[in-house]
Amino acid sequence: MKDPNCIFCKIANGEIPSRTLYEDEKFRVIMDLGPATRGHSLILPKEHYANLYEIPEDLAADAAKLAKKLAIRMTEKLGADGFNIIQNNNEAAGQTVPHYHVHLIPRYQNDGQHILWNPGEMPAEEMDEILNTILAD
Ligand code: 5GP
Ligand code: ZN
């Protein structure tokens, strides 16, 4: 399934040219146009799924395996010091393009990026209440 209005469908299926660092029958991996760091790239499934809620489990698993493979390769080739793999779902979580994608972000000492969250604080009772909500049938 492709979405005719989706830019990532067009890129993933080669209708719009892109800097492609990997391609197989299920995925195209492209360089991000607004890179957070040197080498920031995106794993795009060729089929359209809006987000993690919609993508089939097997395809998400394949994307995770590919992320591991490319993280190793990119770390070696680019001389990265670390790596973030980020996957945003829905606007509230920072997703701007509603076609499932995995960010591959090589990290370098002092690269000036602030990708991690601000640690919070929470009372124990609230932690317990959240845990029970998740565990409840
Ligand atoms: P999101 O915020 O949805 O998780 O990430 C979308 C990413 O796609 C952003 O990092 C943005 O820079 C990138 N992006 C948006 N449009 C294009 C495009 O047309 N080509 C490429 N290569 N990257 C894009
Ligand atoms: Zn799409």
Side-chain angles (χ1 to χ4, degrees), residues 65-76:
K65 286 184 185 173
L66 183 55
K68 175 178 167 64
K69 198 163 87 173
L70 290 174
I72 292 168
R73 179 180 174 87
M74 291 166 73
T75 297
E76 286 173 5

Side-chain angles (χ1 to χ4, degrees), residues 5-132:
N5 299 314
C6 173
I7 187 161
F8 279 6
C9 278
K10 293 191 173 81
I11 293 173
N13 292 281
E15 287 172 47
I16 294 177
S18 61
R19 290 188 178 83
T20 296
L21 52 136
Y22 176 89
E23 186 182 5
D24 63 23
E25 65 281 2
K26 293 177 185 160
F27 300 102
R28 181 187 294 271
V29 183
I30 64 167
M31 296 190 71
D32 194 296
L33 267 191
T37 66
R38 189 169 171 267
H40 180 178
S41 299
L42 303 170
I43 298 178
L44 309 181
K46 292 185 174 180
E47 293 293 313
H48 181 88
Y49 300 102
N51 51 41
L52 184 66
Y53 304 115
E54 295 196 0
I55 192 170
E57 191 176 280
D58 285 355
L59 195 58
D62 289 341
K65 286 184 185 173
L66 183 55
K68 175 178 167 64
K69 198 163 87 173
L70 290 174
I72 292 168
R73 179 180 174 87
M74 291 166 73
T75 297
E76 286 173 5
K77 294 275 187 179
L78 297 172
D81 301 306
F83 215 94
N84 290 118
I85 291 175
I86 296 176
Q87 200 276 307
N88 301 324
N89 299 284
N90 288 348
E91 197 178 335
Q95 186 178 16
T96 57
V97 182
H99 175 123
Y100 179 93
H101 52 279
V102 178
H103 291 263
L104 304 174
I105 308 181
R107 298 301 304 275
Y108 308 89
Q109 291 299 340
N110 306 313
D111 63 20
Q113 277 297 346
H114 303 282
I115 292 173
L116 302 179
W117 55 89
N118 298 321
E121 284 178 29
M122 191 175 281
E125 308 78 56
E126 198 177 344
M127 299 272 275
D128 290 340
E129 187 269 318
I130 294 165
L131 177 61
N132 289 332

